[in-house]
Amino acid sequence: MASTLALNVRKPPTITRLPRRPDPRQDRVMDLRRDVALGARLAVMRAGGLAMAAAGDPVLRLLHRPWIDDPTSVHRQLLQGPQPYASRTGVLVVATHALCRDLVRDRRFLVRPRDGGSLGGSVAGARDPLLEPVDLSFLGMDPPEHTRLRRLVGGWFTPARVEAYEPLVVRLAERLVDDAVRRERFDLVAAVATPLPVAVIAELLGVPDEHAASFARWGRSVGAGLGGVRSARALHRLDAAVGELRGLLGDLLARRRHDPSDDLLSHLAAQDADVEETISLAALLLLAGFETTSTLLGNAVAAMTDAREPWARLAADPARAADAVEESLRFDAPIRFTARTPHETVSLGERDVAPDTVVLAMLGAAGHDPAVHADPDVFDLDRPTRGEHLAFSGGIHYCLGAPLARLEARVALAALAERMPTLHRTRGAVRRRSLLLRSYLRLPVAA
Ligand code: HEM
């Protein structure tokens, strides 16, 4: 997904990759130079972004107020515009359900440009640390590597296998919700939406309890950087968090190699795979599954309690939680977009797309396409088309964790609605300023 944040904002200066030298003073000078280059590049991107948003570019509007809080008008602008729409950021954008679906399913559209670098800007054919601060394992790979690595873990996320986790998810969700109810006023993100997916993925991977808090902290900082970084300091913090997370996963994998258990890390340790590659794969499962699920829970509660009626109906019949999850994924997709590029000229909608051109599929806007959903801007628990969304993308990168995310969200929403039928927002909600994730950082509520 990070590979998708590839807005080609007017050819920014590239970062010079400097070789490491033994003299620490030299290192500090090099780091400083790198930071200055990085800061300049970010400033160019920010200034360009603001100007283009003000001039009406819908992609950049999604990063700025007031559209960050309410993207309805941007969705309409995108859906009514030409398909694909040529954004001034240099990327093409499709927003209709049909074209987004075609783009993610079409095997001629890939996640890497021809030189193997990052979409929208490569550093000499390598991953660009600004556009892609984190190695996203097979999410950022094309076949055949994608196929090989996805197969290694695919069997762990089938609906049947995930069903076996239901008792664990119920236990964890009920404990968190009971604790929250006792406090009466709480931040939904900190109290339930964040700790639940972290605890579930830690359990699935086999991260021991004593590391759970660090695991959550790293997941949070790395997840926050998925959509790109905003400063040199943020990139350093992210690098540090990634380093610590990889260190823990590396230690655990080494231990499981000698002393296996029945968890996913033991399964990975038993494969004859490259160690760094295996660590990246394990980290992907944390990163792809944590902020996204947390985001879904926050968005679902906010949308339903704001509209009131859907929450009251869910409280009266918590068995509707699965419908609430699908309608929320349609109404407020956690991941706004993904990106692809062709290696040959491919026609898409009204245009021929040249090789290496970045095309964004606006998954969030597609959920509001009136050609598929009547009254798309209304949250409707009974909507017959609620399941026809692209929140989990499609094609070969279709979200591996979709059954797990659905299970967690269903169980948590049912528990919340059952115990807190009059749940409502209080003041102080904070939205994340990210183009990639549409989420709340804080969502204060009262039971
Ligand atoms: C509501 C929660 C979630 C949402 C909205 C979501 C969304 C997505 C999307 C949109 C993609 C595809 C991106 C693309 O096409 O480029 C994706 C891929 C992926 N997701 Fe999820 N995800 C969620 C939860 C999870 C969970 C819980 C896990 C695992 C624990 C997970 C693991 C993955 C993995 C491994 C991929 C890469 C698949 C591939 O490249 O083949 N996700 N997710």
Side-chain angles (χ1 to χ4, degrees):
M1 283 169 273
S3 64
T4 61
L5 190 67
L7 301 183
N8 203 355
V9 183
R10 298 266 158 83
K11 294 253 176 260
T14 44
I15 301 171
T16 320
R17 283 190 171 258
L18 300 163
R20 292 200 72 76
R21 304 259 176 93
D23 179 350
R25 277 170 314 172
Q26 285 270 14
D27 268 0
R28 276 201 297 277
V29 174
M30 299 293 186
D31 284 351
L32 198 66
R33 272 209 235 155
R34 195 191 70 153
D35 287 359
V36 169
L38 187 65
R41 202 170 153 210
L42 282 161
V44 170
M45 288 166 98
R46 260 200 303 272
L50 197 63
M52 288 185 224
D57 190 278
V59 176
L60 286 160
R61 284 198 162 175
L62 291 174
L63 262 179
H64 296 91
R65 294 223 150 72
W67 308 281
I68 203 165
D69 295 322
D70 182 4
T72 314
S73 63
V74 182
H75 287 163
R76 246 179 244 146
Q77 186 185 353
L78 281 167
L79 284 160
Q80 287 167 2
Q83 305 286 327
Y85 172 90
S87 159
R88 294 176 67 187
T89 56
V91 300
L92 294 178
V93 185
V94 289
T96 61
H97 179 93
L99 278 181
C100 286
R101 188 197 51 209
D102 290 353
L103 179 67
V104 294
R105 285 191 186 167
D106 190 331
R107 306 277 297 249
R108 293 170 300 170
F109 284 98
L110 301 157
V111 299
R112 292 276 160 206
R114 284 171 302 175
D115 72 357
S118 298
L119 290 187
S122 300
V123 181
R127 184 162 62 87
D128 181 331
L130 252 196
L131 299 172
E132 263 189 284
V134 183
D135 171 5
L136 283 177
S137 181
F138 62 89
L139 179 53
M141 292 178 188
D142 293 308
E145 289 81 10
H146 169 270
T147 321
R148 178 175 59 84
L149 289 172
R150 183 165 169 134
R151 264 196 204 131
L152 276 186
V153 284
W156 284 71
F157 291 91
T158 59
R161 183 125 198 182
V162 163
E163 226 171 78
Y165 288 104
E166 181 152 353
L168 166 81
V169 176
V170 170
R171 209 171 55 241
L172 290 168
E174 291 191 339
R175 203 193 63 216
L176 292 168
V177 172
D178 286 344
D179 285 353
V181 127
R182 273 195 288 277
R183 273 179 278 151
E184 285 179 24
R185 283 171 179 269
F186 57 95
D187 171 13
L188 185 97
V189 175
V192 181
T194 298
L196 179 65
V198 174
V200 172
I201 195 68
E203 181 75 24
L204 205 133
L205 281 168
V207 174
D209 285 350
E210 75 249 36
H211 298 298
S214 322
F215 194 63
R217 189 163 42 80
W218 296 326
R220 184 107 244 199
S221 4
V222 181
L226 278 185
V229 287
R230 306 179 69 78
S231 68
R233 198 185 297 165
L235 186 61
H236 290 312
R237 269 203 308 270
L238 185 63
D239 278 351
V242 170
E244 288 172 27
L245 173 63
R246 293 185 71 89
L248 170 68
L249 290 171
D251 288 349
L252 291 173
L253 279 163
R255 257 188 264 166
R256 293 296 197 287
R257 212 158 280 132
H258 302 293
D259 184 14
S261 173
D262 59 357
D263 51 45
L264 181 47
L265 282 178
S266 301
H267 164 76
L268 287 175
Q271 311 296 314
D272 191 18
D274 174 81
V275 175
E276 290 303 314
E277 198 173 72
T278 312
I279 293 176
S280 297
L281 205 166
L284 167 66
L285 297 176
L286 169 67
L287 302 178
F290 160 38
E291 288 287 356
T292 47
T293 310
S294 166
T295 295
L296 167 59
L297 273 170
N299 290 356
V301 169
M304 283 196 286
T305 54
D306 285 355
R308 296 215 183 134
E309 194 240 343
W311 190 256
R313 290 186 58 201
L314 182 63
D317 183 7
R320 299 292 312 269
D323 296 337
V325 170
E326 295 314 309
E327 177 63 351
S328 179
L329 285 163
R330 177 203 72 80
F331 184 78
D332 217 353
I335 306 263
R336 288 179 200 267
F337 71 92
T338 185
R340 300 288 188 268
T341 196
H343 287 191
E344 60 197 89
T345 300
V346 177
S347 84
L348 178 72
E350 297 158 23
R351 281 180 96 113
D352 282 341
V353 182
D356 291 344
T357 304
V358 178
V359 192
L360 304 186
M362 303 305 287
L363 308 175
H368 291 253
D369 185 346
V372 180
H373 308 285
D375 285 333
D377 303 329
V378 173
F379 189 107
D380 178 2
L381 214 48
D382 297 327
R383 180 182 295 284
T385 56
R386 62 185 168 265
E388 288 175 45
H389 57 73
L390 295 167
F392 292 123
S393 189
I396 63 166
H397 291 280
Y398 180 79
C399 176
L400 186 73
L404 186 62
R406 285 185 159 121
L407 168 67
E408 290 178 34
R410 170 171 63 77
V411 168
L413 284 181
L416 281 163
E418 214 168 64
R419 287 167 179 72
M420 301 180 220
T422 57
L423 188 77
H424 56 280
R425 276 205 221 206
T426 53
R427 286 160 70 92
V430 180
R431 268 212 181 272
R432 185 191 294 283
R433 201 152 166 266
S434 156
L435 189 54
L436 183 66
L437 276 177
R438 175 162 163 76
S439 68
Y440 287 99
L441 286 175
R442 272 167 46 82
L443 185 62
V445 289

